[in-house]
Amino acid sequence: MRGWLRYALLATAIVAAAVAVAAVFSPANLGGALIAAATALTVQLGAFAVLAPARGKPNLVLAAWVFGVLVRLGVVLGLALWLTRGGPVEARPTLLMLVVLLMLLALLEAPALRRLERTDV
């Protein structure tokens, strides 16, 4: 549980930093940045919650990782459909931020899993 909380805190810090950067450099798209940030954080925390208990079991890790990839893909496609059909914010910057955040947070999963295995929390 502590390992998931560490991952959640680090992921939240990264998402908050991304929103802060978006607020400075693109204040007109802040609403989209907030939607992307909330979506990415929710999806990643859920995906890591599925992945973490599977550590140490190669087949389960692979299945959990594939599940996470498919969920991420579905979320991006769903958000793209919603935003391109008259969503409340502009689609391109929102989707770009969503994909960048999902990739950054997914890259954190491997080191977080290795740390969990070392500390066996």
Side-chain angles (χ1 to χ4, degrees):
M1 185 66 171
R2 283 188 354 201
W4 184 87
L5 284 174
R6 285 185 190 143
Y7 178 79
L9 289 173
L10 184 57
T12 302
I14 289 171
V15 168
V19 169
V21 168
V24 170
F25 289 107
S26 184
N29 294 318
L30 185 57
L34 291 171
I35 289 172
T39 304
L41 188 60
T42 303
V43 168
Q44 281 301 130
L45 293 181
F48 191 74
V50 170
L51 185 61
R55 71 185 189 281
K57 303 169 191 130
N59 290 339
L60 286 180
V61 169
L62 182 60
W65 181 76
V66 169
F67 173 76
V69 167
L70 293 175
V71 168
R72 288 179 195 99
L73 180 62
V75 166
V76 170
L77 290 175
L79 191 62
L81 283 173
W82 178 54
L83 292 178
T84 56
R85 295 178 185 227
V89 294
E90 191 176 341
R92 281 186 220 155
T94 304
L95 292 171
L96 179 63
M97 183 156 181
L98 175 64
V99 170
V100 167
L101 285 174
L102 287 174
M103 290 305 300
L104 281 174
L105 297 177
L107 289 172
L108 286 177
E109 287 179 348
L113 282 177
R114 275 194 295 275
R115 182 173 174 97
L116 279 175
E117 287 176 359
R118 276 186 275 147
T119 59
D120 200 40
V121 172

